Amino acid sequence: MKQAPTLLIHNACTPLGSAIARLACEHYRVALLCRDTHSGDSLCRELHASGREALVLEIRDGQPRDFQLAVERVLRRWQQLDAIINLPASLTVGPFEAMTQRHWESLYQTQLMATVNLCQSANHAMRDQGEGRILNVIHEYGLLPGPLSSAQGAMGAAIRALTDSLHSEWHPLGIHVGTIVIPPSSGQQTGLSATDPLSAARFRRQLAASDYSEREIGEDVLNALASQDALTVPAPRTRQQWRQKRWFRKRWQAFMKARAVRYR
């Protein structure tokens, strides 16, 4: 009998990661790559109880070797690694001058370098298979940077640029690499990190008012995993704002400046 494909989800213990794991287990054997192994074990037991195949893997900040070990464990368990969904760990917001070196280094390690290390670790296995899919997920601030999102926007933009490069570079190897831009959602409040209470309250209100649930975004992510596009922007509001930024630049800049006045 043909085995189900294998999917590794990075940051699987976030609300979005858990939603994706519950949706994906219908069609995939799921490896849960988590910093919080207690939550990972709980999610894994839930999937096992429903008759699904799942595996928990631990990742630590600043430990690139952990990504290689995780890939090796997946290969020992299931002999293949078909797809990876790389989710952001958290949102970091606040005025630029309040962003400390610690904020930047944390984002650099948990988002940009985590993406680099995961892609590097998966390359050998997917290259030997002759196929594989990697989907890097970024918040909309990486596509639509605005006031108080400088650090988060910089990391998202860097991940998108990296993905665009790998999309073409790894195509001859049979490895498809893409980016999906996700909108704000209430579940993102869990990983919100802010430089000050006012910024935290402002962004929590925005996230709480979102029309998108983790399940809806999870469905969009799984659909994007099967897409051939280098960039997927499924949320209509995000696509509309992206078009405004591209084609009506002066109007967009004026809108962002007005928002900055309100924020300040």
Side-chain angles (χ1 to χ4, degrees), residues 100-120:
T100 65
Q101 187 72 15
R102 184 177 179 180
H103 286 121
W104 284 99
E105 289 177 354
S106 176
L107 276 172
Y108 176 74
Q109 288 295 337
T110 60
Q111 296 194 21
L112 179 57
M113 286 312 300
T115 303
V116 170
N117 292 326
L118 187 53
C119 289
Q120 287 179 331

Side-chain angles (χ1 to χ4, degrees), residues 15 56 58 75-76 109 115 119 127 135 148-150 157 169 176 178 189 201 207 231 237 243 245 251 253 257 264:
V56 179
E58 183 180 8
L75 294 175
R76 285 198 302 270
Q109 288 295 337
T115 303
C119 289
R127 187 180 60 200
L135 182 66
L148 310 188
S149 64
S150 57
E169 183 177 340
H176 175 82
Q189 297 179 76
L207 296 173
L231 178 66
R237 183 185 64 84
R243 285 195 293 267
K245 180 185 176 183
R251 186 185 304 173
Q253 291 173 351
K257 289 176 181 177
R264 290 286 181 169

Side-chain angles (χ1 to χ4, degrees), residues 104 111-112 115 136-145 149-165 179-181 231 245:
W104 284 99
Q111 296 194 21
L112 179 57
T115 303
N136 295 322
V137 181
I138 63 171
H139 293 289
E140 68 172 28
Y141 305 113
L143 190 68
L144 301 167
S149 64
S150 57
Q152 193 66 58
M155 294 303 140
I159 291 170
R160 182 191 167 196
L162 169 68
T163 305
D164 285 351
S165 178
T179 303
I180 181 172
V181 180
L231 178 66
K245 180 185 176 183

Side-chain angles (χ1 to χ4, degrees), residues 10 20 25 27 30 65 75 143 156 173 183 186 197 200 209 236 257 263:
H10 178 218
I20 292 173
C25 69
H27 306 287
V30 181
R65 176 64 177 157
L75 294 175
L143 190 68
L173 305 177
S186 58
K257 289 176 181 177
Y263 284 0

Side-chain angles (χ1 to χ4, degrees), residues 87-106:
L87 298 173
S90 62
L91 272 172
T92 299
V93 297
F96 175 77
E97 62 271 24
M99 287 287 172
T100 65
Q101 187 72 15
R102 184 177 179 180
H103 286 121
W104 284 99
E105 289 177 354
S106 176

